[in-house]
Amino acid sequence: RAELTAAADRAERASRADREAAENRLSALLEGLDRSVLAPALAAELSDAEQRVVLARRVHNDAVRDTLALRQRRSVRWLRLAGTAPTPSYFEIAEPGAEVEASALTQRVSARVVLLDAANRVLLFEGFDPTRPDELFWFTVGGGVEPGEDLRAAAVREVFEETGVELSADDLVGPLWRRHAVFAFDGLSYAAVEWFFVGRVDGGEVDTSRFNDIERQTIRRHRWWSAEELATTDATVYPVQLAEVLPSALDDWDGATRSLR
């Protein structure tokens, strides 16, 4: 209980730069809390507070996405309508393990691959939500795990379908990271768990001829990104921490799967 109290105090007092880490620490402690020992009223109040935090984060991030999309418009850039206002940033904290608005969310497990070339650049696709075609974002290779399919098999399959690169399960390192995300796409809301592996290719040729219909409709292009480019871009990139953690993908994996935003 003392550790939980201290974590809550740190989260409340943390600076903006340290707030995400403090909130994630508090969320992890709350997820491990045995709620059966709490008074029913207190347990309900805690659950309600968690849901309010999740909804507040979504509203904030939606506003950030809309603002960044507006700033990409030519008229805004040419006329400098943004003035000297700082660029807004996303606030990403772990979703609670309990389902939030479970009835409205489609559960999804994904296998994703940080595919690196000989220059240690990562392959990303640029796409959009069909309901918001003007709001572009970049993302890694990968997709949903099919029923009965294990994570590595799904990762190998997705790499081949999206890039034409043939890897074996033994070619993949990881999963290095796990990411919980709630997002909307094509009119549906998803609660996703994404598992990230690392794979390597010698050349930079990418064959997208095996894209499915929705991928052909919503993916505009692809390119290889260095960690330095990711760290300085104004583009929206998922996962948010990719630039930060990419250097660690070049090191020998210690066998631990870490949380990622």
Side-chain angles (χ1 to χ4, degrees):
R1 181 172 298 179
E3 184 180 14
L4 185 59
T5 301
D9 185 65
R10 282 194 297 271
E12 183 176 4
R13 299 173 184 274
S15 65
R16 177 62 180 85
D18 299 328
R19 189 65 181 267
E20 291 180 8
E23 291 282 1
N24 280 326
R25 173 58 179 164
L26 177 59
S27 295
L29 290 173
L30 287 172
E31 188 170 350
L33 180 66
D34 181 4
R35 304 188 185 204
S36 65
V37 303
L38 300 178
L42 181 57
E45 183 178 350
L46 176 58
S47 178
D48 180 69
E50 287 179 326
Q51 293 187 28
R52 289 176 182 273
V53 169
V54 169
L55 293 174
R57 181 190 66 82
R58 294 180 199 169
V59 170
H60 171 82
N61 285 351
D62 283 347
V64 170
R65 184 182 61 241
D66 292 343
T67 301
L68 294 177
L70 285 172
R71 288 192 173 197
Q72 293 298 315
R73 294 184 178 180
R74 292 181 181 178
S75 59
V76 175
R77 297 200 308 269
W78 290 348
L79 299 177
R80 299 183 180 178
L81 297 180
T84 58
T87 301
S89 59
Y90 291 101
F91 189 77
E92 298 290 350
I93 58 175
E95 300 280 4
E99 292 183 4
V100 178
E101 300 175 336
S103 61
L105 299 178
T106 298
Q107 305 299 311
R108 176 180 170 90
V109 177
S110 297
R112 310 207 68 87
V113 178
V114 175
L115 195 62
L116 301 172
D117 68 1
N120 290 327
R121 300 176 303 172
V122 60
L123 178 66
L124 298 181
F125 293 109
E126 184 185 44
F128 57 87
D129 181 341
T131 63
R132 296 185 175 188
D134 295 329
E135 299 175 10
L136 303 175
F137 54 90
W138 293 87
F139 55 96
T140 60
V141 176
V145 178
E146 297 179 351
E149 188 177 37
D150 66 42
L151 288 173
R152 283 182 175 270
V156 168
R157 174 181 54 76
E158 288 289 339
V159 169
F160 178 67
E161 291 176 354
E162 296 184 355
T163 72
V165 173
E166 297 187 60
L167 297 176
S168 70
D170 292 338
D171 293 327
L172 297 176
V173 178
L176 275 70
W177 309 301
R178 179 185 64 251
R179 175 176 181 256
H180 291 271
V182 175
F183 63 92
F185 186 82
D186 201 15
L188 294 177
S189 295
Y190 294 89
V193 181
E194 300 177 336
W195 300 85
F196 288 82
F197 297 87
V198 172
R200 287 190 171 275
V201 295
D202 294 329
E205 293 297 323
V206 175
D207 176 10
T208 61
S209 64
R210 298 174 183 83
F211 273 1
N212 59 31
D213 289 341
I214 192 64
E215 289 167 340
R216 282 191 288 271
Q217 294 168 12
T218 61
I219 296 179
R220 293 182 50 182
R221 57 177 173 156
H222 62 268
R223 61 164 287 199
W224 298 88
W225 293 73
S226 68
E228 293 77 13
E229 290 171 330
L230 287 171
T232 57
T233 184
D234 290 330
T236 301
V237 178
Y238 295 114
V240 174
Q241 283 184 294
L242 184 57
E244 177 185 338
V245 301
L246 186 55
S248 67
L250 311 179
D251 301 329
D252 291 335
W253 183 43
D254 63 4
T257 301
R258 295 174 171 81
S259 296
L260 183 67
R261 298 195 311 276

